[in-house]
Amino acid sequence: IFGVHLRPIKIDESVDAEFLARQTPGFSGADIANVCNEAALIAARNGKKFVQKEDFMNAVDRIVGGLEKRSKITTEEERKCIANHEAGHATLSWLLEHANPLVKVTIVPRGKALGAAWYLPEERQITTREQLQDEMCATLGGRAAEELVFNSVTTGASNDIEQATAYVRNMITMYGMSEEFGLMALETVENQYLDGRRVLNCADATAAQIDQVVKETLKKCYEQAKQLLSENREVMDHLAEFLIKEETITGKEFMEIFHKYRLEQMERQVGMDVSDNTNE
């Protein structure tokens, strides 16, 4: 579909239709046409002769996240908090095996969001328990980063908490992925072709037990997120500082920072080993 809508547009070699398709899961043909038109307009506004990959990414950002609201006033403390929140998400997306790879992170307000991160989702029809657990952990990375850095939490993680809770509840009631309930189907979807309303099919005592399992699972994922970020605090701080200064970081820039940190970490470790051998 992208190939069809790209034909009348002058593009350069940086544009990869397959990458754009992976970056826009669930988009209809009309949505894709809108992305291509918006990218052409963005390139024209910037006086370009060709539409580049950057223009398409900006177009996707605008359609998915809304217009940039640089006029929205945030204090320096709020910027630091938002930067560390997004750095927490980004760091865990790199560390966790099954999390989606990062494409871009920004602390520029868009729509109602004060910051946002874009990932490259893997196209799959089924999802394993391990993949869901890693996605939950990465989702809670923003709140974990806030607590680690500021020893406090904010309202900025409300959507993350809602999403992580939905992951856990689905694993328990729909997918049979909990040890406590096993293969029991605890929830059904009524009128799935209309409103898709979901109904619990269990006693009140079982519903209360489900809530307890959800709480314990979220706590376990949150502790894992905090531990991973604590072990990699240095790289998370570098990312937050970069975001505060530049406001936006691409996946390529993020990987450069992460690899530099890993290299420095290895060099320090080698230096310690050499020093220990010399003392002996």
Side-chain angles (χ1 to χ4, degrees):
I1 297 174
F2 261 107
V4 171
H5 292 292
L6 287 174
R7 287 172 190 165
I9 300 175
K10 293 183 178 180
I11 59 176
D12 66 4
E13 64 279 358
S14 67
V15 178
D16 180 1
E18 184 176 347
F19 174 83
L20 293 175
R22 292 182 62 196
Q23 190 56 35
T24 51
F27 275 41
S28 65
D31 293 330
I32 291 174
N34 195 14
V35 168
C36 294
N37 292 334
E38 186 65 38
L41 289 172
I42 292 172
R45 291 190 197 103
N46 293 321
K48 295 182 180 180
K49 295 183 178 180
F50 297 93
V51 186
Q52 299 174 310
K53 177 182 177 180
E54 178 186 5
D55 303 315
F56 282 97
M57 296 308 300
N58 289 334
V60 173
D61 295 349
R62 181 168 181 174
I63 291 169
V64 173
L67 292 172
E68 288 187 353
K69 294 187 176 180
R70 294 184 177 273
S71 59
K72 183 176 286 188
I73 299 173
T74 54
T75 66
E76 189 63 28
E77 286 302 313
E78 286 175 333
R79 282 171 55 83
K80 288 180 181 178
C81 185
I82 297 167
N84 279 279
H85 183 106
E86 298 302 338
H89 284 307
T91 302
L92 288 183
S93 76
W94 181 262
L95 294 171
L96 293 166
E97 179 183 358
H98 301 293
N100 293 321
L102 181 75
V103 174
K104 186 171 74 172
V105 180
T106 181
I107 61 171
V108 177
R110 282 183 180 273
K112 295 182 179 180
L114 297 176
W118 283 265
Y119 300 92
L120 192 62
E122 178 185 352
E123 187 173 351
R124 56 185 182 231
Q125 303 303 318
I126 57 175
T127 305
T128 66
R129 175 163 38 192
E130 291 74 23
Q131 289 167 336
L132 285 171
Q133 289 172 337
D134 280 359
E135 288 175 9
M136 277 191 295
C137 187
T139 301
L140 295 172
R143 167 60 70 89
E146 290 177 12
E147 185 173 345
L148 279 175
V149 176
F150 303 104
N151 197 29
S152 182
V153 294
T154 72
T155 58
S158 60
N159 186 59
D160 298 334
I161 293 171
E162 182 181 354
Q163 186 177 354
T165 303
Y167 277 136
V168 180
R169 193 167 288 277
N170 286 340
M171 289 174 68
I172 296 169
T173 63
M174 298 288 289
Y175 308 144
M177 291 182 177
S178 70
E179 295 179 0
E180 291 80 2
F181 299 101
L183 300 177
M184 288 179 64
L186 299 167
E187 195 172 42
T188 57
V189 179
E190 293 187 350
N191 299 325
Q192 60 179 325
Y193 299 109
L194 297 175
D195 56 2
R197 186 164 58 93
R198 292 163 56 163
V199 179
L200 276 175
N201 293 325
C202 60
D204 291 343
T206 304
Q209 190 179 355
I210 291 171
D211 290 340
Q212 185 62 31
V213 175
V214 169
K215 179 181 177 181
E216 292 172 357
T217 306
L218 286 172
K219 182 179 180 181
K220 186 184 297 184
C221 288
Y222 186 60
E223 292 301 324
Q224 181 189 4
K226 286 201 297 184
Q227 181 180 348
L228 285 172
L229 292 179
S230 180
E231 293 171 354
N232 295 271
R233 175 69 183 273
E234 189 175 345
V235 68
M236 186 182 77
D237 289 343
H238 282 317
L239 289 173
E241 290 170 5
F242 189 99
L243 280 170
I244 292 170
K245 182 180 178 181
E246 304 293 338
E247 294 190 327
T248 299
I249 182 172
T250 64
K252 181 179 179 181
E253 291 169 331
F254 168 73
M255 288 169 59
E256 289 173 354
I257 291 174
F258 200 92
H259 284 308
K260 182 181 178 182
Y261 160 73
R262 285 296 195 197
L263 185 60
E264 290 174 353
Q265 193 178 45
M266 291 173 61
E267 289 175 347
R268 285 197 299 268
Q269 185 63 40
V270 170
M272 289 173 60
D273 293 343
V274 171
S275 178
D276 291 343
N277 291 336
T278 303
N279 291 335
E280 290 176 2

